[in-house]
Amino acid sequence: NFEINSKTGKTILVEFSSPNTNKPLHLGHLRNILLGSAMSNILIADGNNVKRVQIINDRGIHICKSMLAWRKYGNQETPSSSNIKGDYLVGKYYILFEQKYKEEQAELIAEGYSAEEAALRSGLLNEAKTMLRDWESGNQEVIDLWKRMNSWVYEGFRETYGKIGVSFDKDYYESETYLLGKKCVQNGLKKGFFHTKDDASIWVDLKEYSLDHKLLLRSDGTAVYMTQDLGTAIERYNDFSFDKMIYVVGNEQNYHFDVLFKVLEKMQYPWSSRLQHLSYGMVNLPDGKMKSREGTVIDIDDLFIDMHAVAKDIITSSNKVDYNDVESLSKVVGDAALKYFILKTDAKKNMLFDPESSIDFNGHTGPFIQYSYARIQSIIRKCSNFSRFFNPNRPLLLEEKSIMKLILEYPVVINNSAINLNPSFLANYLYFLAKEYNHFYQTVRILNLEDENDMNFRVTISEKVSILLFHGMNLLGISVPEKM
């Protein structure tokens, strides 16, 4: 068990996913979810006690846009009445709002208004703003609609998380934590950490940290994202007394987290130094950036279905793969191709998603690692009575030394991945381990050797490689089949 790193006794929170309840989870969310889940697993393997958490963004103008569009144009449509997954249904009305809003803007501009004037005069947008104020004031009709549509989305999210193999230890909700944030800001104002402007808005001066002034509460008392993040951070420390909290959020939010951490430091929370931002690059499509409001996104559910289909085509047309249950294998291979393609890229870098190159049994892919694992399982089945006790009475071959050196690097790779918050270290190590083993397999005879010591030695090496491939891929959230 050399690969199990010693216990640290530290509790680490990892926040990831954190979706909005106005649309399905899409490809951009998938990189976040895979990074957060893999990092959680790697940190556990490195000896930490890890808690997976998410903040569900269930309030705000974007949520009201979906609600308003459904109320105006939905004709009481429900997921069951239309046989549409709940998050897809709500996302449909978010897109519809934007379409209707653009049409309204075009009409106002055609009447002679400027774009700025058209935005101010927009009936739809003003209705959405009114709905948000009604929600914040506790209007029962709006609250009931909000709860109903959110319940549809949560059911859809649960289904998608199940497909990915992800779960959370605790969910936090912006509709609750923004109130905690408002109290936190008011307390900070009383203690002199913040200041008000003439319009009664509350701000924090961060010039001492080489940052500028930051709004914490608007003049009408409504919260901003920073408000709820302050409340959430404080509640999480009260819940878990963490030694570290890691936010898995895209790099477009780098400044936001610089500010958040410094505001908490200014408020003299000693644990503010334990906060860390795992900043990752964006996932782009071949034709550009994804836009939820225009519907030009790839939803996770559809993506997995497509990957399973591509994997099935390759498996059925390949002479290399021999497996009875093609449907089951297609799902395992398609999932591996997708997850590994995303996780092998350095988290900090932007990436272009290319599904075609992700399924290649001879390339730098998840399926290549899966095939290497299955090959070793075939060897072990053929030599089921081998002994793990051996004494090779000869100098080790270069191929044997190389594979043993890679085996011994496993705990170091786990530790480096944990320290650097980068699962790509582990993902790339597993590829090189599989690649080195394939060279070993093709160069050195393993079975049917005259010297039983040599055979036991090489089968044991093979078995150890398979154990590391199994555990390492599982840390990345990827299954490896016994046969391929």
Side-chain angles (χ1 to χ4, degrees):
N1 292 325
F2 81 94
E3 73 275 9
I4 306 301
N5 293 5
S6 60
K7 297 292 183 183
T8 66
K10 294 181 179 179
T11 295
I12 299 179
L13 265 62
V14 182
E15 179 200 283
F16 61 101
S17 189
S18 301
N20 296 327
T21 57
N22 67 324
K23 57 191 173 188
L25 297 164
H26 56 62
L27 176 58
H29 291 117
L30 183 60
R31 189 178 198 190
N32 181 302
I33 294 167
L34 294 180
L35 284 171
S37 181
M39 270 317 312
S40 298
N41 295 336
I42 289 167
L43 288 164
I44 291 170
D46 200 43
N48 301 286
N49 173 37
V50 174
K51 299 294 183 183
R52 300 168 174 85
V53 299
Q54 65 172 334
I55 175 74
I56 297 176
N57 301 295
D58 61 344
R59 63 171 287 276
I61 191 67
H62 49 296
I63 308 300
C64 290
K65 287 177 178 179
S66 297
M67 291 164 57
L68 180 64
W70 183 87
R71 191 165 73 178
K72 292 176 76 73
Y73 313 113
N75 296 315
Q76 298 299 311
E77 183 181 17
T78 67
S80 57
S81 72
S82 55
N83 197 28
I84 297 177
K85 195 162 166 275
D87 49 342
Y88 279 63
L89 181 65
V90 174
K92 165 184 156 182
Y93 284 100
Y94 179 64
I95 294 169
L96 180 61
F97 177 92
E98 294 298 335
Q99 291 171 345
K100 296 289 186 181
Y101 178 55
K102 281 185 177 181
E103 291 171 7
E104 184 186 52
Q105 295 292 288
E107 290 173 4
L108 289 167
I109 291 171
E111 292 175 11
Y113 294 102
S114 67
E116 293 77 11
E117 290 171 329
L120 290 173
R121 296 177 68 89
S122 165
L124 270 177
L125 187 58
N126 284 314
E127 281 187 76
K129 290 178 179 178
T130 299
M131 181 176 277
L132 178 58
R133 286 192 292 270
D134 288 342
W135 181 91
E136 293 200 1
S137 65
N139 179 289
Q140 195 58 51
E141 182 186 349
V142 173
I143 295 293
D144 289 344
L145 176 60
W146 171 74
K147 287 181 178 178
R148 186 183 187 194
M149 294 183 70
N150 274 352
S151 71
W152 298 342
V153 176
Y154 296 147
E155 184 58 37
F157 286 172
R158 280 191 290 271
E159 186 179 326
T160 302
Y161 285 143
K163 291 176 183 176
I164 305 172
V166 167
S167 61
F168 296 89
D169 296 293
K170 183 161 184 178
D171 295 329
Y172 293 83
Y173 297 88
E174 186 184 345
S175 56
E176 299 168 358
T177 61
Y178 92 101
L179 294 172
L180 299 173
K182 289 173 77 169
K183 289 180 182 177
C184 160
V185 171
Q186 293 292 349
N187 289 335
L189 181 64
K190 291 176 184 176
K191 293 179 179 179
F193 299 133
F194 312 138
H195 63 274
T196 57
K197 290 194 174 181
D198 293 339
D199 62 356
S201 58
I202 301 177
W203 296 70
V204 59
D205 184 354
L206 298 175
K207 285 188 291 186
E208 62 189 291
Y209 304 109
S210 300
L211 298 167
D212 55 13
H213 286 65
K214 182 65 182 177
L215 175 67
L216 299 179
L217 271 181
R218 298 188 185 94
S219 57
D220 60 1
T222 56
V224 295
Y225 276 115
M226 188 61 63
T227 318
Q228 65 100 359
D229 277 352
L230 289 169
T232 307
I234 294 167
E235 185 179 16
R236 284 177 180 159
Y237 186 77
N238 292 336
D239 288 343
F240 294 103
S241 298
F242 54 75
D243 296 284
K244 182 187 287 188
M245 180 162 70
I246 299 164
Y247 294 85
V248 182
V249 183
N251 57 19
E252 77 277 11
Q253 294 294 326
N254 286 353
Y255 174 76
H256 175 87
F257 285 99
D258 287 344
V259 171
L260 174 64
F261 300 165
K262 293 306 180 185
V263 171
L264 289 165
E265 181 181 333
K266 191 178 181 73
M267 296 180 73
Q268 299 177 358
Y269 286 105
W271 45 264
S272 63
S273 60
R274 306 177 199 172
L275 306 178
Q276 200 166 353
H277 176 203
L278 196 173
S279 171
Y280 64 88
M282 294 296 98
V283 182
N284 293 318
L285 300 171
D287 57 350
K289 195 173 181 179
M290 296 181 294
K291 297 179 181 177
S292 297
R293 68 184 61 188
E294 295 175 9
T296 56
V297 299
I298 297 179
D299 295 317
I300 290 177
D301 298 319
D302 298 334
L303 184 56
F304 273 97
I305 291 170
D306 291 345
M307 294 300 293
H308 297 163
V310 172
K312 184 177 180 180
D313 287 344
I314 292 174
I315 289 168
T316 53
S317 63
S318 173
N319 295 323
K320 190 173 183 179
V321 177
D322 180 21
Y323 200 76
N324 293 328
D325 189 351
V326 173
E327 290 294 335
S328 176
L329 183 62
S330 298
K331 290 182 179 179
V332 173
V333 170
D335 288 357
L338 175 56
K339 291 179 178 180
Y340 187 84
F341 186 89
I342 290 175
L343 289 172
K344 74 177 182 180
T345 304
D346 188 313
K348 297 179 180 64
K349 295 180 179 178
N350 291 339
M351 62 176 294
L352 184 69
F353 179 68
D354 180 9
E356 291 184 10
S357 65
S358 68
I359 303 182
D360 180 353
F361 288 100
N362 298 306
H364 184 179
T365 66
F368 170 77
I369 299 171
Q370 288 179 315
Y371 189 78
S372 301
Y373 174 82
R375 168 178 276 170
I376 298 173
Q377 297 312 297
S378 176
I379 291 171
I380 294 172
R381 283 192 296 272
K382 292 174 183 176
C383 190
S384 57
N385 295 321
F386 78 96
S387 171
R388 295 178 184 84
F389 296 93
F390 44 79
N391 182 25
N393 189 22
R394 58 169 175 77
L396 295 181
L397 301 178
L398 177 62
E399 291 80 7
E400 292 168 333
K401 289 180 180 179
S402 295
I403 198 72
M404 289 170 69
K405 285 179 181 178
L406 266 179
I407 287 171
L408 291 168
E409 286 179 15
Y410 184 81
V412 179
V413 172
I414 293 293
N415 185 244
N416 284 339
S417 295
I419 291 171
N420 292 280
L421 303 184
N422 203 331
S424 71
F425 291 1
L426 175 60
N428 285 282
Y429 164 83
L430 294 172
Y431 166 69
F432 289 118
L433 179 62
K435 186 178 179 183
E436 187 68 30
Y437 181 80
N438 276 281
H439 174 70
F440 174 78
Y441 173 85
Q442 292 162 6
T443 307
V444 177
R445 191 172 179 180
I446 298 173
L447 298 178
N448 302 318
L449 300 176
E450 292 183 6
D451 188 327
E452 191 172 358
N453 268 313
D454 274 359
M455 187 189 75
N456 288 334
F457 176 47
R458 291 173 183 172
V459 175
T460 300
I461 287 177
S462 301
E463 182 189 48
K464 191 61 183 181
V465 169
S466 76
I467 289 170
L468 298 189
L469 292 180
F470 178 89
H471 286 291
M473 290 291 269
N474 270 265
L475 293 180
L476 299 179
I478 301 171
S479 299
V480 284
E482 296 294 311
K483 294 180 180 181
M484 284 181 75

